[in-house]
Amino acid sequence: MSVAIVTGASRGLGRALAHALAGRGWDLVLGARRAKALEETAEAVRSAHGARVVAVPGDVTDAAHRRALVAAAGALGGLDLLVNNAGILGVEPLVRLEDHPLDRFRAALEANVVAPLGLVQEALPLLRGAPAGAVVDISSDAAVEAYRTWGAYGATKAALDRLSAVLAVEEPGLRVWWVDPGSMRTDMLAAADPEEAAGAPLPEEVAPAFLRLLDTRPASGRHTAAGLLGAAGVTG
């Protein structure tokens, strides 16, 4: 049975991915800061799909939490997929760079860049031992496009993209995909741009893009959900 770790799994894209993977027969280790919401997600996934689901509440910026996530995967039999989905905007509402508090930028760097790298480092021994180990890092179009007020968040995602690209070179035995899911109707986008969030697709509509990655296993690289769904002939 394949095993995945999904961070930021209590809501939004993380929750949608948990359901999508469990629907394919995956066992899961789910992490998030909100313990109650995380356990509710885990129970919903268990009930809907019959998967083994371990909820590990905690903050991904905490090294002990990262160790606990990987230990839980090991107890399920190994680790085939790591999804670095957890992240923060840094400041809400978003502000111009001239007004961005530096302490909140540091917090975003810690959550969106340092923590994913730390989890990769912790997980690599298990991923290397998997028949088809893979890492998915959640990117953003703000990593490659200059949007007013999105500069600090976009910088963290650009940094994560670069880490992903180098990891792909250094770990040729793994697949490393960094994926821009596009706009989604999530609490995070609602905090940044309520109008855009209101018209965006649900995370459940985006999750099939990630299943396509697992089905086709393209070479390591950057992808967009729209491109993956288009290639699969999926329409809304």
Side-chain angles (χ1 to χ4, degrees):
M1 192 70 71
S2 298
V3 177
I5 292 173
V6 182
T7 65
S10 64
R11 60 184 181 174
L13 180 61
R15 182 184 175 103
L17 290 176
H19 276 286
L21 289 167
R24 289 289 191 88
W26 285 68
D27 291 328
L28 302 172
V29 176
L30 305 181
R33 290 176 293 173
R34 298 169 179 82
K36 182 179 179 181
L38 179 63
E39 185 50 52
E40 288 172 351
T41 293
E43 183 53 37
V45 173
R46 291 186 200 106
S47 298
H49 308 289
R52 294 187 296 169
V53 183
V54 179
V56 183
D59 192 321
V60 76
T61 64
D62 179 2
H65 175 60
R66 298 194 295 266
R67 288 192 295 271
L69 290 169
V70 175
L76 289 177
L79 181 61
D80 302 273
L81 172 66
L82 168 62
V83 182
N84 279 312
N85 170 66
I88 62 173
L89 288 172
V91 62
E92 300 175 11
L94 297 178
V95 296
R96 291 164 54 95
L97 288 175
E98 66 174 325
D99 299 317
H100 202 292
L102 293 183
D103 62 332
R104 299 313 303 157
F105 182 46
R106 292 187 186 97
L109 285 167
E110 190 71 29
N112 300 351
V113 185
V114 178
L117 176 57
L119 190 48
V120 165
Q121 291 174 339
E122 193 72 34
L124 272 176
L126 289 182
L127 289 169
R128 288 168 177 155
V135 176
V136 172
D137 290 329
I138 303 302
S139 185
S140 168
D141 58 345
V144 295
E145 299 289 345
Y147 299 126
R148 190 182 303 273
T149 74
W150 285 86
Y153 175 81
T156 69
K157 289 301 183 177
L160 183 62
D161 280 7
R162 180 51 51 191
L163 288 181
S164 304
V166 173
L167 180 66
V169 171
E170 294 179 344
E171 297 289 336
L174 303 179
R175 288 290 193 271
V176 182
W177 301 303
W178 46 112
V179 182
D180 168 17
S183 297
M184 295 178 292
R185 205 178 311 166
T186 63
D187 291 345
M188 177 180 280
L189 184 57
D193 190 332
E195 185 174 344
E196 182 178 355
L202 293 168
E204 291 78 9
E205 299 174 75
V206 176
F210 295 83
L211 297 181
R212 178 161 176 79
L213 275 179
L214 298 173
D215 289 342
T216 61
R217 291 188 62 82
S220 295
R222 193 177 200 278
H223 297 271
T224 66
L228 291 165
L229 292 174
V234 176
T235 58

